[in-house]
Amino acid sequence: MINIFDIIIVKIIFLLISTFITMEVLKNNQPFDLLPDEMLIHTLILVDAKTLLDCRLVCKRWQELIDAFVFQEKVALENKFVNNGQGYSSFSQIGSNDIRKIELPWYVFYVISKYDPFNRNLIKNHCGQDHWLHWESINAAGVMAPFLSDLDLDYDFSQVSRIPQSEQLLLSDPDFDGQSSFFNVDFRHLRSIYQEIIFKDYGLNVTLMKTLQPKIVFSSWSKTRYQYILYRLQATLYSETNSSKVVTADSLNEESPTEWKRASDSIETMGHETSLRLNHSVIEVLEQPALYNFQVTCSVVKILLPIKYKNAYLL
Ligand SMILES: *[C@@H]1O[C@H](CO)[C@@H](O)[C@H](O)[C@H]1NC(C)=O
Ligand SMILES: *[C@@H]1O[C@H](CO)[C@@H](O)[C@H](O)[C@H]1NC(C)=O
Ligand SMILES: *[C@@H]1O[C@H](CO)[C@@H](O)[C@H](O)[C@H]1NC(C)=O
């Protein structure tokens, strides 16, 4: 009969022996020295991005392989997005040999595998699916006020509603991402709603911004309740070193202002920018504020990854 203590003792002995073997092996680095580059690369791809930073410090060979191949291959495997010069497509559609032709420093691939910041919508709660979460507002008194809860809005007609299924054109925009709600903003009480994107939250620190100087695209769908109201979509870049740069996409829709319309524009960055604010507001056109009311949904901000290939012939 097997005694429970025998099992425990056997387990402890096994643990000691295996720990000892592992330590000896790591000390001499032998099994990895025996592995060919390809196998080492394919093993390291399975390691998470943050740990790979530590792995870079193990030895020169590891660092060279990680910098030249591992981060790139990892990004390729994990299906992140890349511009192949003909629009944006998935890394997974690019053969792994071609991925090696992409001229970007290793830390860009590290940031892609850790934060996935490029070519996707960085606006949170972009259609109001989580009510006012992540959005802030400027009220009629000109005061910045975060939304505390929907209850705060009881006194006015600002609310989140559903887009009717009949709005096919609107809902077929892939940026809706399966959502179908919109913000209905009562201008008597709220002058603007806005959201800020801090670049370093997505791994885009000064080094990354300076290296890439990425272009940023932004858009939204809007409609106004009455004629003669001008909806304004505004993106403002902020930097620590100098004043902000404002790009607005005014969505003046004179023919049918009360139908959904998409406003969009883009901004070039210069490398010193640290954040972006996307602001929805109304420009007064008629002195009848009681009638001002705008509806907005599908706010989008995408930072585009600029890519150069070492050989230009990639399809
Ligand atoms: C920015 O991030 C990259 C990748 O994480 C890193 O290699 C670089 O040292 C960082 N630069 C600064 C100034 O923090
Ligand atoms: C902002 O500062 C950068 C240097 O940090 C400079 O190259 C650029 O021209 C400045 N931009 C403006 C609009 O002043
Ligand atoms: C948004 O734009 C409106 C005017 O278009 C402006 O009054 C308001 O201050 C802006 N909000 C922010 C947070 O910049």
Side-chain angles (χ1 to χ4, degrees), residues 51 124 142 160 207 216 240 314:
T51 310
K124 294 181 181 136
V160 173
T207 312
I216 301 178
E240 267 149 27
L314 184 82

Side-chain angles (χ1 to χ4, degrees), residues 137-138 144 191-194 196 232 234 236 238 248 277-283:
S137 69
I138 292 195
M144 290 191 185
R191 290 297 149 99
S192 70
I193 65 168
Y194 63 94
E196 207 146 310
R232 170 187 272 176
Q234 184 175 50
T236 313
Y238 294 91
T248 55
R277 181 183 284 170
L278 190 76
N279 182 8
H280 301 285
S281 61
V282 155
I283 299 169

